[in-house]
């Protein structure tokens, strides 16, 4: 039986041979031996970085099979403008990270060593012109390595943070300090907490979180109350907000312990709610005295509808100009009363937009022309409303 002479060659020589081959042929060699597997890719990335590549988008299916894959020279690229890494393992470099041109950084399902937070913080601190940062995490494997994450940047303008973790994982505290941040998206399950500093430039925020728990438990009541208060105060200068129903529920729970900060600059609000949480929405609107545009996504509740609208927030009577209500049921008590409520209490309303959905929960689905006639014949306080 003949010996495999090529496989006995030094790894550096095998790598050099693979680099001489066309990329397509180099990939095909991965089926020859486990020793050959990914050799072309370690070296290919390193060569691409050294050659002055500006955009690198790299994704693997299983980082455990590609351990130590990312070359260390990626931390010192002088030309990279955008870097997207998905499902790879990052090591903590022993030197100072320097990415002077990197403006866009996307980290998704990243695996870390024991000092994971330092890797991320080194990356961010080594990007003096970073403007757009996205972090998506699903794996539980790195939970021990990332209990606290500091995101500090003087240039960051866009930050998306999505943590899709299970209820049993350890809490993660994310501290954001970005004075030039314009847009923040924070979507996390109940294992994650957030702290914000210096967000006076914030223009738009997308919130879907319960700030570390779905209810205010007695044993950590004070701590969680302070976190919610500090976050709301820190984002109070925002002008455009998207907020989920569960976030509304937590804020409403907090309002029983202390006043909600006023969002004086907020002019656009998009909120999700159900017929059973309408009062939560109206309570939050009390903190938005200058709101002009309101978009509501109505979710149908399986519980009996309880519609008892008595309070009218100040913004509805003084500043609200446009209202959009989505997912209305053609024959639904909630929708009818909700539309009537806004039409009858909004004296400067200019536009009302309604969209309907068919639902098996409604007894009948009336023809759209009859539906619109039913809604539009409601008494309108504003003569300019279309």
């Amino acid at each position: 039986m003949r010996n495999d002479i090529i496989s006995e060659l030094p790894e550096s020589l095998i790598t050099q041979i693979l680099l001489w081959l066309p990329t397509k042929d180099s990939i095909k060699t991965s089926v020859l031996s486990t020793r050959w597997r990914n050799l072309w890719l370690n070296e290919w990335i390193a060569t691409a970085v050294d050659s002055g590549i500006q955009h690198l988008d790299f994704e693997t299916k299983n980082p455990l099979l590609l351990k130590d894959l990312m070359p260390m020279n990626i931390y010192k690229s002088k030309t990279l403008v955008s870097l997207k890494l998905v499902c790879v393992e990052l090591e903590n470099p022993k030197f100072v990270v320097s990415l002077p041109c990197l403006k866009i950084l996307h980290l998704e399902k990243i695996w870390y060593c024991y000092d994971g937070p330092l890797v991320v913080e080194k990356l961010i601190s080594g990007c003096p012109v970073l403007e757009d940062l996205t972090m998506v995490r699903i794996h539980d494997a790195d939970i021990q390595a990332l209990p606290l994450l500091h995101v500090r940047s003087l240039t960051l303008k866009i930050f998306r943070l999505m943590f899709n973790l299970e209820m049993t994982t350890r809490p993660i505290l994310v501290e954001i300090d970005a004075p030039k941040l314009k847009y923040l998206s924070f979507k996390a399950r109940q294992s994650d907490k957030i702290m914000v500093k210096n967000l006076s430039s914030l223009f738009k925020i997308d919130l879907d979180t319960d700030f570390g728990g779905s209810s205010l438990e007695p044993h950590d009541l004070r701590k969680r109350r302070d976190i919610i208060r500090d976050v709301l105060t820190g984002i109070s200068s925002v002008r455009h907000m998207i907020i989920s129903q569960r976030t509304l529920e937590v804020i409403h729970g907090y309002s029983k312990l202390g006043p909600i900060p006023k969002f004086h600059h907020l002019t656009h609000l998009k909120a999700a709610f159900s017929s059973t949480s309408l009062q939560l929405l109206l309570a939050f609107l009390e903190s938005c005295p200058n709101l002009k545009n309101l978009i509501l996504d109505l979710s149908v509740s399986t519980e009996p509808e309880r519609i008892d609208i008595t309070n009218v927030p100040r913004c509805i009577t003084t500043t609200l100009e446009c209202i959009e209500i989505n997912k209305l049921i053609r024959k639904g008590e909630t929708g009818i009363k909700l539309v009537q409520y806004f039409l009858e209490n909004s004296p400067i309303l200019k536009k009302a937009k309604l969209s309907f959905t068919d639902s098996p929960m409604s007894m009948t689905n009336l023809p759209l022309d009859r539906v619109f006639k039913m809604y539009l014949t409601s008494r309108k306080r504003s003569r300019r409303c279309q």
Side-chain angles (χ1 to χ4, degrees):
M1 187 174 184
R2 297 182 60 184
N3 293 329
D4 184 357
I5 300 177
I6 297 180
S7 293
E8 295 177 356
L9 294 174
E11 187 172 284
S12 58
L13 184 55
I14 295 177
T15 301
Q16 191 62 43
I17 294 174
L18 294 177
L19 288 176
W20 286 337
L21 296 174
T23 303
K24 186 176 181 180
D25 294 332
S26 295
I27 298 175
K28 291 180 179 179
T29 63
S30 63
V31 301
L32 298 179
S33 168
T34 56
R35 184 168 178 239
W36 289 60
R37 188 173 298 159
N38 303 321
L39 278 178
W40 67 273
L41 197 55
N42 282 333
E43 293 299 327
W44 181 87
I45 295 176
T47 302
V49 172
D50 289 338
S51 65
I53 191 173
Q54 291 186 323
H55 306 278
L56 178 59
D57 186 340
F58 184 75
E59 177 178 357
T60 69
K61 299 300 182 182
N62 189 346
L64 295 181
L65 299 178
L66 301 169
K67 185 173 177 61
D68 301 332
L69 175 64
M70 299 311 299
M72 299 301 282
N73 67 340
I74 201 171
Y75 295 109
K76 280 188 169 293
S77 170
K78 298 184 181 299
T79 58
L80 272 177
V81 176
S82 67
L83 175 62
K84 181 177 181 180
L85 302 177
V86 181
C87 202
V88 300
E89 182 174 353
L90 294 181
E91 290 188 53
N92 185 11
K94 305 304 181 183
F95 49 83
V96 177
V97 176
S98 178
L99 297 167
C101 297
L102 195 69
K103 293 185 177 181
I104 303 174
L105 178 60
H106 183 113
L107 302 176
E108 184 171 347
K109 307 177 191 176
I110 297 299
W111 295 62
Y112 308 97
C113 299
Y114 66 92
D115 49 1
L118 292 179
V119 180
V120 180
E121 292 176 20
K122 276 188 175 182
L123 268 175
I124 297 174
S125 63
C127 304
V129 296
L130 185 65
E131 296 182 356
D132 190 327
L133 174 62
T134 300
M135 293 189 64
V136 183
R137 207 189 71 170
I138 298 180
H139 292 298
D140 286 345
D142 58 348
I143 191 67
Q144 299 294 333
L146 197 61
L148 174 62
L149 173 63
H150 295 282
V151 178
R152 299 189 181 101
S153 174
L154 296 175
T155 59
L156 192 63
K157 297 179 181 179
I158 300 173
F159 184 30
R160 306 175 192 87
L161 185 63
M162 289 162 275
F163 282 171
N164 185 17
L165 298 177
E166 297 299 327
M167 297 170 56
T168 56
T169 56
R170 285 182 54 191
I172 300 174
L173 177 60
V174 182
E175 181 180 286
I176 305 172
D177 187 349
K180 291 187 178 181
L181 194 66
K182 299 291 185 182
Y183 173 75
L184 172 62
S185 175
F186 183 71
K187 298 183 179 182
R189 290 198 174 185
Q190 59 198 54
S191 299
D192 311 298
K193 302 177 182 178
I194 182 174
M195 294 178 62
V196 297
K197 298 180 180 179
N198 302 321
L199 298 187
S200 58
S201 298
L202 192 64
F203 178 83
K204 183 177 180 179
I205 190 169
D206 188 348
L207 273 181
D208 183 11
T209 179
D210 47 25
F211 302 98
S214 58
S215 61
L216 296 174
E217 296 86 356
H219 66 275
D220 64 349
L221 183 60
R222 179 177 298 179
K223 183 177 180 181
R224 294 192 57 246
R225 179 192 62 190
D226 293 344
I227 289 177
I228 297 173
R229 179 199 61 208
D230 292 343
V231 171
L232 295 180
T233 302
I235 65 173
S236 59
S237 63
V238 72
R239 296 177 181 273
H240 190 153
M241 179 184 293
I242 302 174
I243 191 169
S244 69
Q245 179 174 332
R246 65 170 179 165
T247 303
L248 273 177
E249 292 172 353
V250 175
I251 292 177
H252 185 261
Y254 165 80
S255 67
K256 299 177 181 178
L257 305 175
I260 301 176
K262 295 290 185 181
F263 293 86
H264 290 285
H265 302 282
L266 188 65
T267 58
H268 292 70
L269 174 65
K270 181 177 181 180
F273 74 105
S274 68
S275 57
T276 57
S277 62
L278 180 58
Q279 293 297 335
L280 307 184
L281 172 66
L282 297 179
F284 183 73
L285 291 182
E286 296 283 2
S287 301
C288 312
N290 298 305
L291 191 67
K292 293 183 178 181
N293 297 273
L294 178 61
I295 301 175
L296 301 178
D297 287 339
L298 176 63
S299 61
V300 179
S301 175
T302 56
E303 300 179 20
E305 296 182 339
R306 299 189 297 269
I307 306 300
D308 183 19
I309 308 175
T310 55
N311 63 315
V312 182
R314 174 188 169 186
C315 63
I316 294 180
T317 60
T318 60
T319 62
L320 189 64
E321 297 179 353
C322 299
I323 175 71
E324 179 178 338
I325 306 177
N326 301 316
K327 303 179 183 178
L328 287 167
I329 300 177
R330 297 188 188 183
K331 187 178 180 181
E333 181 183 359
T334 300
I336 295 175
K337 289 190 174 182
L338 188 63
V339 173
Q340 290 175 342
Y341 169 82
F342 282 104
L343 292 180
E344 294 175 1
N345 293 287
S346 307
I348 67 170
L349 194 66
K350 297 179 180 179
K351 184 177 180 180
K353 181 178 179 181
L354 312 177
S355 66
F356 297 87
T357 182
D358 293 335
S359 171
M361 295 184 62
S362 60
M363 296 180 59
T364 60
N365 286 316
L366 300 177
L368 277 178
D369 56 345
R370 291 182 58 187
V371 173
F372 279 110
K373 184 177 180 180
M374 178 177 60
Y375 278 96
L376 295 179
T377 53
S378 301
R379 185 170 61 90
K380 294 185 293 183
R381 190 172 176 184
S382 173
R383 296 182 179 178
R384 297 181 297 173
C385 180
Q386 299 179 353

